[in-house]
Amino acid sequence: MADAVLARATALYSARNSPTLTHLKNLLIAYLLFRRLLKAQRHLRARGLVQTVRDLWKWVVQETILLALRFPAARKKVDRELGEARTQIEKSMVPQGPDVRRHLALPQEGQTQEWIIEEMAKMDTESEGANWRLGKLSGAVYHGGDDLNRVILAAIARYSFSNPLHPDAFPAVRKMEAEIVAMCLKMYNNPNGAGVTTSGGTESCIMAVKTHRDWARATKGITEPEMVVPVSAHAAFDKACAYFGIKVHTIPVNPETRQVDLKRVARAINGNTIMLVGSAINFPDGCQDDIVGLSKLAIKHSVGLHVDCCLGGFIMPFLEEAGFPVKPFDFRVPGVTSISCDTHKYGFAPKGNSVVMYRSAQLRRFQYYVNPDWVGGVYASPSIAGSRPGALIAGTWAAMHYMGHGGYVESCRAIVSTRRTIEQRIKDEIPELYILGHPPASVVAFASVHPDISALEVGDAMSRRGWHLNALSNPAALHIAVTRLTVPVVDTLIVDLKDAVRDAKAAPSGKGTMVTLYGLGSSSPVGATMVGHLAAAFLDTLYKA
């Protein structure tokens, strides 16, 4: 018995140490090492040596500080300060007082229409919100006028119960959705292309990423996808990468033109790249990337190119006809494979509608989800949602027909002329500020050239004057997305901006929302983490009844 056990052990030892098995183990180790080195090489090539060292140093310092913050005394202090910030957020957002009625359970009996309308009116007065009709908002409310609003509401009322998931029950909604996509494709010079409506710009961008991921997997066998985006691209692309497990290479922009650095983009492309992204226009400073240059790279490397026109959706296609210069950005650029366009911004459609377009119906197929084996029957949907509000599709269709081509040209002319006026008056009358890049459409961003003036202080001073501008970072700046509501208040904007600059220079408070939040984000390697906690607290507060 002992001899048999010994023989078996000897045989097993010999097998484990056989030359063949040893070679296989060495090959496996070499393969894994090669893959690691290849990933490191691609990362280093995309980021560059200097940026890689900076990122590594920042990570080391951040982890060290976060480790130190785990000690009881430090943790207690951080928790206390975050708790105070959370309390301030709740006070600013959740209505307080004895007259505030909270509806935390269904009423025992249904309420009347009169009661419901009266209660809504009461809730409108419980918290102090921005009066958007005064025109002191950056973007946010894209109002096409009261007459158009009545048309949209009539369409919504007519199709309030409709659901495009059931085209047999709502054939008119199916037809309207298809026509919305067709009209947008015509606007972007690809009438034979394909598209889908979505719930907004973020979903349009996410769907474009999903489509290119599945396309690259099916046609190229890419299982570890990567994409290359400008640092100025919308956060929706980072969100898509987080959802889908895609590695994203974020490329800096030229500080003068605010266009993505094409040489850095080219360095970041590798065998796992599924797509590039360019903006026309981007959200932060309203500038347009070099779409033609990105197209050449996309064609050379056989990767997709998505152009994000969400913000510029119903401005960019009408610039030339409205009398303004415009650089190529649509499907006439050969390397462009998809474009996102928000109908619910300058298209004046009801909120909750956007369109993502593709060069071909074949590419659009990769966006679909189809499950033929579900026990509930064959399930197929074009985008993330299953059921969708047909009422919003009807409202969008109605808005586009009410405005018409000529209406959008006139709207573009008024809005872009206003943006150009604001830009020129800042240049001529407020020497402490400078314009970021060369914006072609509806957005203008400005930062401080004066070392003693913080653009964020200016933003807080503008807030005290009733303005709601967008704060930016890297560099610290402000922007305004001009809408129809902005057109009549340009003089007020410039007067208030001059006064805000004087306030920021003479007596900076250091306590405003913009200064506190964005200053914290850049104050230390863990600043962004702290801002993340505050952002999460803000999101929690959205659902505090």
Side-chain angles (χ1 to χ4, degrees), residues 346-368:
Y346 295 103
F348 306 120
K351 275 296 181 183
N353 192 272
S354 177
V355 175
V356 57
M357 297 168 279
Y358 297 101
R359 183 167 289 277
S360 68
Q362 182 182 8
L363 181 58
R364 179 179 61 180
R365 284 283 186 93
F366 291 102
Q367 178 176 308
Y368 298 162

Side-chain angles (χ1 to χ4, degrees), residues 295-312:
S295 168
K296 292 177 181 178
L297 290 174
I299 293 172
K300 177 180 178 180
H301 296 278
S302 299
V303 299
L305 171 57
H306 179 81
V307 179
D308 179 17
C309 285
C310 286
L311 184 52

Side-chain angles (χ1 to χ4, degrees), residues 95-107:
Q96 308 290 331
D99 295 331
V100 174
R101 186 185 306 173
R102 304 193 186 281
H103 308 280
L104 305 180
L106 286 170

Side-chain angles (χ1 to χ4, degrees), residues 426 429-434 447-450 453 501-502 505:
I426 289 174
E429 301 176 33
I430 312 178
E432 296 89 349
L433 304 178
Y434 73 96
S448 172
V449 297
H450 201 291
I453 299 176
V501 168
R502 280 194 290 270
K505 184 177 182 179

Side-chain angles (χ1 to χ4, degrees), residues 285-446:
D285 50 53
C287 293
Q288 175 185 339
D289 287 311
D290 182 355
I291 304 302
V292 172
L294 288 169
S295 168
K296 292 177 181 178
L297 290 174
I299 293 172
K300 177 180 178 180
H301 296 278
S302 299
V303 299
L305 171 57
H306 179 81
V307 179
D308 179 17
C309 285
C310 286
L311 184 52
F314 278 70
I315 296 290
M316 295 297 293
F318 303 104
L319 279 175
E320 185 174 6
E321 195 170 345
F324 303 110
V326 59
K327 295 180 180 178
F329 66 93
D330 60 17
F331 283 109
R332 288 174 292 185
V333 181
V336 174
T337 51
S338 61
I339 296 176
S340 50
C341 161
D342 279 2
T343 49
H344 68 193
K345 288 190 174 75
Y346 295 103
F348 306 120
K351 275 296 181 183
N353 192 272
S354 177
V355 175
V356 57
M357 297 168 279
Y358 297 101
R359 183 167 289 277
S360 68
Q362 182 182 8
L363 181 58
R364 179 179 61 180
R365 284 283 186 93
F366 291 102
Q367 178 176 308
Y368 298 162
Y369 174 79
V370 179
N371 186 342
D373 301 320
W374 182 40
V375 294
V378 177
Y379 181 90
S381 66
S383 56
I384 291 177
S387 292
R388 293 178 292 136
L392 295 184
I393 291 171
T396 299
W397 186 90
M400 293 174 73
H401 277 275
Y402 184 88
M403 289 295 298
H405 184 92
Y408 285 124
V409 171
E410 288 304 314
S411 176
C412 172
R413 184 176 291 119
I415 288 168
V416 177
S417 294
T418 300
R419 189 273 305 163
R420 288 162 67 97
T421 298
I422 294 170
E423 177 182 352
Q424 193 59 49
R425 291 193 63 179
I426 289 174
K427 290 178 178 178
D428 293 343
E429 301 176 33
I430 312 178
E432 296 89 349
L433 304 178
Y434 73 96
I435 304 299
L436 298 186
H438 309 287
S442 56
V443 176
V444 58
F446 43 92

Side-chain angles (χ1 to χ4, degrees), residues 10 51 69 90 229 294 324 458 520:
T10 302
Q51 188 60 46
L69 290 177
E90 291 182 2
V229 306
L294 288 169
F324 303 110
V458 174
L520 174 62

